[in-house]
């Protein structure tokens, strides 16, 4: 069994050497695409904030990914509240009951989001911001749940092309695995 701190580092994408050595010997459970979508939906407001921060020097203040308030972000906050119980269950599946018990309070989601979003945005460069803004603008009419599903599909596509030594952004089950 993995210690709580090691499991948390693995799940949240920490890059400590001790976590890297555990990665080599432990296979984490995967989450299904719908579970990953719930997890992503639960952290989208913070994810948008992180992308907005990264893109602040590259995009105008009016860019959607730079919106900290208003109807755009409000829709995602409402969906995040709805998705959190399913997202929490996805984290519990990955980390086990020890970590899951720590997620049963109001401070857990923002804390978790502050740890997950850097893992999801790692590698994002200011040069990527115009393309990301275009994707967000095109996805804006979609319901937030569909946008989370689209984002998970993109993660799966990118992770499928990663080398074996590169960590996946989320441990999403391959077809037939659970």
């Amino acid at each position: 069994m993995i210690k709580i701190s090691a499991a948390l580092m693995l799940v949240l994408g920490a890059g400590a050497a001790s976590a890297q050595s555990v990665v080599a010997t432990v296979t984490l459970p995967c989450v299904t695409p719908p579970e990953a979508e719930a997890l992503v939906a639960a952290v989208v407001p913070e994810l948008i904030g992180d992308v907005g921060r990264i893109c602040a020097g590259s995009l105008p203040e009016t860019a959607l990914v730079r919106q900290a308030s208003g109807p755009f972000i409000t829709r995602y906050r409402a969906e995040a509240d709805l998705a959190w119980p399913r997202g929490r269950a996805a984290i519990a599946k990955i980390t086990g009951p020890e970590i899951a018990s720590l997620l049963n309070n109001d401070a857990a989601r923002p804390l978790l989001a502050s740890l997950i979003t850097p893992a999801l945005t790692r590698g994002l460069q200011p040069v990527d911001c115009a393309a990301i803004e275009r994707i967000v603008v095109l996805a804006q009419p979609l319901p937030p749940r569909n946008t989370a599903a689209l984002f998970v599909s993109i993660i799966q596509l990118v992770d499928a092309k990663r080398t074996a030594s590169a960590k996946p952004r989320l441990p999403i089950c391959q077809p037939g695995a659970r």
Side-chain angles (χ1 to χ4, degrees):
M1 177 172 279
I2 303 174
K3 289 185 177 179
I4 291 174
S5 59
L8 188 57
M9 285 191 302
L10 288 170
V11 171
L12 302 177
S18 62
Q20 290 174 351
S21 65
V22 173
V23 169
T25 60
V26 174
T27 301
L28 292 174
C30 60
V31 295
T32 65
E35 290 168 331
E37 291 162 16
L39 179 56
V40 168
V43 300
V44 162
E46 292 82 1
L47 181 62
I48 291 170
D50 201 34
V51 171
R53 181 190 54 74
I54 293 166
C55 295
S58 303
L59 295 174
E61 288 182 28
T62 56
L64 282 177
V65 296
R66 294 197 55 204
Q67 302 306 302
S69 63
F72 172 71
I73 197 71
T74 298
R75 289 176 47 219
Y76 288 98
R77 285 190 182 119
E79 181 63 29
D81 291 341
L82 293 173
W84 173 236
R86 294 184 326 272
R88 182 175 47 225
I91 289 292
K93 184 176 179 181
I94 296 168
T95 62
E98 297 89 4
I99 299 291
S101 67
L102 300 174
L103 301 177
N104 288 327
N105 66 60
D106 291 338
R109 189 175 91 207
L111 176 63
L112 187 65
S114 72
L115 297 170
I116 289 176
T117 57
L120 296 175
T121 59
R122 80 172 169 248
L124 178 63
Q125 301 294 318
V127 71
D128 303 322
C129 293
I132 290 168
E133 175 69 5
R134 176 159 168 71
I135 291 167
V136 170
V137 167
L138 292 170
Q140 180 184 13
L142 294 174
R145 184 176 278 189
N146 291 49
T147 304
L150 178 62
F151 188 73
V152 167
S153 294
I154 291 169
I155 291 172
Q156 287 178 291
L157 178 65
V158 170
D159 282 350
K161 295 180 182 214
R162 291 173 164 267
T163 63
S165 64
K167 291 183 195 176
R169 294 195 190 312
L170 282 174
I172 301 172
C173 303
Q174 298 301 318
R178 294 282 172 217

